[in-house]
Amino acid sequence: MYEKQPWSVCDVETKQKQRDMILIKGNSTQCVPKKTITKACKKTCRYDRSGWSACDKLTRQKQRQLTPKSNSLPQCTPTVETRPCYVRAELTAAKPHKCRYMPGTWSECDPRSNTMTMVMTSKTRDPVCQKYKKLSRKCKAACKFRRGEWSECDETSQLMTRVDSLVSGSPKQCDESRQITKKCRRKCKYTFGEWGECDPVTNHRTRVKKLVDGGDQTKCLPEDIVTKPCEKKNGRERCFYGAWGEFGPCTNGVVTKNRQVLQGGVECERKAVITQACTKTPGS
């Protein structure tokens, strides 16, 4: 246990004060007989500030006197505070320009971009500010269209078109229909053969795919071989199936079709059956 001594006077240079603590109870061999604690002063010197002097044209600075108050510490001495002075024109130039504009009226909604614009006119004659300012925002009520069907691909232009019709309840400025054009996509359609046996050397299965009659043989391969590993990356057995069969007769409002599981367990058998609802016609 230590006895706390009073704090010393605050040092103006370091802005710190100290006090000693003397051991009064405890083992002097294990505890320090005397130790000193240092901490920062909360308030060192308080001053009365005089008015600023006139700006010195040579140094472009102004000064004012700082006199210690009556309740300040005796170490506090009078001092002089110096600050650079600015001409009013410099202060005005340093401030950012505030451009004010008079708002106009919003234009009608453009159905293509779904935006509306407004032109604002400057209120100030400052050359820094723009005379006109254009704003744009999205329309509150957008034009909604119901998508149509894509047309057949035009062999000459290699383009296909779609006509969308306007949904009822859309704004009056919307067009009754819109036409969208895009490039044709050549899709190669194939028929797939049966999977072969798993090759013990490569651990892969292969099957042949052939181009459907009428396909573009200039851009699609007439025949190709598809290869898949017999196992997945995590070591599990991969599912391999045969071709789908036909739907069976309608029984209890349900028709099913199956495909043979060539490789795989119970999880693969779940994906080998497709079930659809049906209605049994009289006499069938």
Side-chain angles (χ1 to χ4, degrees), residues 111 143-146 163-168 170-179:
C143 301
K144 296 183 180 180
F145 293 90
R146 184 177 289 105
V163 179
D164 300 341
S165 57
L166 185 67
V167 177
S168 59
S170 297
K172 296 180 180 179
Q173 61 268 22
C174 299
D175 298 332
E176 294 183 358
S177 62
R178 66 178 181 182
Q179 184 174 344

Side-chain angles (χ1 to χ4, degrees), residues 11 18 28 59 93 96 99 107 123 160 182 188 208-209 221 224 231-232 239 253 274 279:
D11 188 355
Q18 298 178 349
S28 59
T59 60
C99 302
S107 65
K123 290 183 178 180
M160 51 195 303
K182 70 175 183 179
C188 303
V208 180
K209 66 175 183 179
L221 294 174
D224 197 6
E231 295 180 353
K232 297 181 179 179
C239 298
I274 292 180
T279 54

Side-chain angles (χ1 to χ4, degrees), residues 2 74 100 106 123 159 190 223 282:
Y2 289 89
R100 296 183 178 182
W106 288 102
K123 290 183 178 180
L159 296 174
Y190 292 91
E223 186 175 332

Side-chain angles (χ1 to χ4, degrees), residues 146-165:
R146 184 177 289 105
R147 293 185 178 182
E149 297 292 335
W150 287 105
S151 64
E152 295 293 333
C153 183
D154 187 358
E155 297 296 336
T156 306
S157 61
Q158 293 295 316
L159 296 174
M160 51 195 303
T161 57
R162 185 186 76 192
V163 179
D164 300 341
S165 57

Side-chain angles (χ1 to χ4, degrees), residues 13 15 39 54 64 68 70 94 114 136 138 148 215 218 243 248 260 266:
E13 295 181 357
K15 294 184 179 181
K39 73 174 184 178
R64 67 176 176 182
S70 58
N114 191 29
S136 61
K138 289 187 176 181
T218 59
Q260 183 183 0
V266 180

Side-chain angles (χ1 to χ4, degrees), residues 212-248:
V212 178
D213 295 338
D216 189 358
Q217 296 186 2
T218 59
K219 296 183 179 180
C220 303
L221 294 174
E223 186 175 332
D224 197 6
I225 297 176
V226 181
T227 306
K228 272 190 178 182
C230 301
E231 295 180 353
K232 297 181 179 179
K233 292 183 179 180
N234 55 8
R236 293 185 179 181
E237 195 175 24
R238 188 183 296 274
C239 298
F240 285 94
Y241 303 95
W244 283 103
E246 298 294 334
F247 278 104

